[in-house]
Amino acid sequence: MIELNEEQRMIINTVKQIAQEKIKPRAAEIDENEEFPWDTIKLFAENGLLSPLLPQQYGGIGAGYLLFALILEEISKVCASSALILIAHTDGMLSILCGPDENLKKKYLPQFAKGKLAAFAATEPDAGSDILSMRTRAVRKGDSYILNGQKCFITNGSAADIISVYAYTDPGKRAKGLSAFVVEKGTKGLIYGKDEKKMGMCGSINCELLFEDMVVPVENRIGEEGGGFTNMMVALDMSRMFTASQAVGLAQGAIDEAVKYAKQRIQFNQPISRLQGIQFMLADMEANTEAARQLTYHAAQIMDNEQWNQVPKTSAMAKFIASDNAMRVTTDAIQVMGGSGYIKEYPVERMMRDAKLIQIYTGTNQIMRAVTAREMLKD
Ligand SMILES: Cc1cc2nc3c(=O)[nH]c(=O)nc-3n(C[C@H](O)[C@H](O)[C@H](O)COP(=O)(O)OP(=O)(O)OC[C@H]3O[C@@H](n4cnc5c(N)ncnc54)[C@H](O)[C@@H]3O)c2cc1C
């Protein structure tokens, strides 16, 4: 069980209120219209939610990872798309925060606290799980790098003010030849490709980014040349705990809807909640979600305790357990609600579509199992 101090309780209560009063009423609409919720971004910025992980010296609230997990859980209960925007933003921000460059931190991190949006660009058409197959190249020319290549599926892509981009400076060296760069919106040679039409998470943007002789100043390289792979994995390992929190919140949101419906729906002269077949489904949904939650909190606490060598495994385990659970729970929530669950008037069909993505992004659940086994088996 976790204990929150007075300030943390206040933050979570504020998030709960914002989620229920402002984000929930917009969730179905932004999904239906495939609308990027700028009003929600503004709300996040006004309430310090774009920067909970930022230390106070950069204008954040230094909330810590467990509190961020709780924030994501509350938002995901009502709108997983809004949580996705926040997660992708945080991933982009973490590339800079976890890097060694004080100048980049001073220049960019306070901007996030004030409402600038970030994105994280690693995936390419030929480089998904096999990320080292990426083809984007950065060639040094005087005080700049010239980047050419293409990224795909990038969350917040065309909305972001600042993007963390990964590219090879020395492809022959594989992982040791990858570097990370900070790219600002409006940079010459940064071209936005198509916005993807998606099955779920429709209130978020995912787009292609094309780099055509894009000029990035040397001072925007994060860390040394060749430091990109480590930087990327640090951000991704943390992000897997964020997506686990998103999955826990999403599953809980579906359970809440199913319970409410089951108590009201009368069949055979009684609420369906009195039927043992329904009760057993609800019990499984609740128990497995609570198990996923505890594992996710454990992963977050490991990060708060700076036990960095344990982060890859615990975050990966939390991610695949929580997102596989969210997929099952949202599907079962529809089953509990029968035909109504399948209809867009109720939120559970959206929740099921949203849950599917969490099994795929920030590393598929097959890759999460491979990471877990690798960590178990290493000498
Ligand atoms: C909506 C959305 C948002 C995204 N946001 C971002 C973002 O903001 N930034 C970003 O950089 N990327 C983003 N991604 C990319 C995402 O992280 C990748 O889609 C994901 O890592 C999987 O890569 P892939 O799609 O190329 O699948 P592939 O790697 O082609 O995998 C296809 C299948 O093969 C399996 N597979 C592959 N390799 C192995 C293996 N070694 N062992 C077992 N099975 C394996 C996979 O598990 C999967 O089932 C996003 C994707 C989507 C759909």
Side-chain angles (χ1 to χ4, degrees):
M1 284 298 125
I2 53 164
E3 278 181 27
L4 299 180
N5 63 31
E6 184 64 27
E7 192 193 354
Q8 290 171 325
R9 269 201 302 276
M10 257 174 54
I11 293 172
I12 287 301
N13 285 339
T14 306
V15 175
K16 276 186 184 169
Q17 193 181 354
I18 292 171
Q20 293 298 326
E21 291 176 9
K22 307 275 188 199
I23 299 177
K24 188 175 178 179
R26 292 272 284 132
E29 191 177 31
I30 64 171
D31 173 69
E32 182 72 22
N33 300 333
E34 301 188 357
E35 176 195 343
F36 191 75
W38 284 109
D39 51 335
T40 301
I41 309 299
K42 191 161 170 273
L43 262 179
F44 284 159
E46 285 166 0
N47 289 279
L49 299 179
L50 284 182
S51 53
L53 288 180
L54 273 191
Q56 286 171 352
Q57 66 187 109
Y58 303 118
I61 53 175
Y65 293 99
L66 180 60
L67 196 71
F68 190 47
L70 297 172
I71 290 170
L72 288 171
E73 194 180 323
E74 288 306 324
I75 296 167
S76 305
K77 279 180 190 169
V78 297
C79 182
S81 284
S82 297
L84 171 61
I85 294 168
L86 198 48
I87 289 171
H89 163 79
T90 306
D91 294 347
M93 189 179 78
L94 279 178
S95 304
I96 303 173
L97 182 62
C98 296
D101 318 271
E102 201 47 48
N103 286 342
L104 286 179
K105 292 183 197 193
K106 280 192 186 137
K107 180 173 178 189
Y108 289 108
L109 296 180
Q111 298 188 32
F112 297 128
K114 289 182 191 139
K116 297 276 185 192
L117 200 62
F120 178 92
T123 305
E124 301 185 359
D126 292 328
S129 303
D130 181 13
I131 199 66
L132 289 176
S133 292
M134 73 171 61
R135 294 185 183 176
T136 299
R137 299 279 182 273
V139 177
R140 175 98 184 235
K141 202 171 172 194
D143 290 340
S144 301
Y145 285 91
I146 312 298
L147 270 71
N148 280 286
Q150 179 183 358
K151 300 289 174 185
C152 64
F153 301 152
I154 306 306
T155 308
N156 297 346
S158 54
D161 302 285
I162 293 150
I163 309 171
S164 299
V165 171
Y166 294 87
Y168 273 118
T169 40
D170 189 346
K173 289 189 181 163
R174 298 283 284 171
K176 289 194 164 58
L178 205 63
S179 301
F181 300 90
V182 182
V183 175
E184 293 187 26
K185 190 176 202 147
T187 298
K188 195 162 166 280
L190 169 60
I191 296 158
Y192 301 114
K194 69 171 181 320
D195 272 334
E196 302 293 350
K197 294 263 177 207
K198 304 189 293 284
M199 166 187 175
M201 303 280 190
C202 296
S204 67
I205 295 177
N206 294 84
C207 79
E208 289 177 334
L209 300 175
L210 310 171
F211 313 134
E212 293 183 3
D213 291 330
M214 181 173 74
V215 182
V216 179
V218 168
E219 60 265 25
N220 276 27
R221 189 189 66 222
I222 303 172
E224 294 299 314
E225 267 194 18
F229 185 71
T230 306
N231 179 276
M232 178 170 68
M233 290 318 300
V234 166
L236 276 178
D237 283 336
M238 293 184 182
S239 187
R240 289 163 185 170
M241 187 282 284
F242 308 157
T243 55
S245 310
Q246 184 187 29
V248 169
L250 186 52
Q252 190 61 56
I255 293 171
D256 294 347
E257 291 295 332
V259 166
K260 190 167 74 183
Y261 185 88
K263 284 179 174 171
Q264 288 165 359
R265 174 70 174 164
I266 307 290
Q267 288 292 276
F268 301 101
N269 299 320
Q270 60 179 343
I272 59 167
S273 59
R274 298 234 182 103
L275 303 170
Q276 199 179 48
I278 295 290
Q279 289 178 355
F280 281 7
M281 280 178 83
L282 292 175
D284 280 343
M285 291 155 74
E286 179 83 350
N288 288 319
T289 300
E290 187 57 31
R293 178 181 286 116
Q294 293 305 325
L295 181 56
T296 302
Y297 291 172
H298 175 60
Q301 281 167 324
I302 276 180
M303 283 157 59
D304 278 332
N305 294 339
E306 301 186 6
Q307 294 164 283
W308 301 121
N309 61 340
Q310 293 184 41
V311 170
K313 183 173 153 217
T314 44
S315 285
M317 290 192 303
K319 199 264 183 186
F320 78 75
I321 291 290
S323 58
D324 284 352
N325 176 66
M327 196 66 240
R328 273 193 310 272
V329 163
T330 52
T331 309
D332 286 348
I334 294 178
Q335 196 65 24
V336 167
M337 295 173 66
S340 298
Y342 197 71
I343 300 296
K344 282 187 184 264
E345 190 182 336
Y346 293 89
V348 287
E349 63 78 32
R350 165 171 52 83
M351 291 170 165
M352 189 188 92
R353 288 184 285 110
D354 290 350
K356 187 63 212 167
L357 177 66
I358 315 179
Q359 294 180 302
I360 296 170
Y361 84 129
T362 66
T364 66
N365 283 4
Q366 284 76 25
I367 296 298
M368 294 306 94
R369 287 173 168 88
V371 169
T372 304
R374 182 197 68 202
E375 294 294 311
M376 289 166 69
L377 298 172
K378 77 180 178 196
D379 294 326

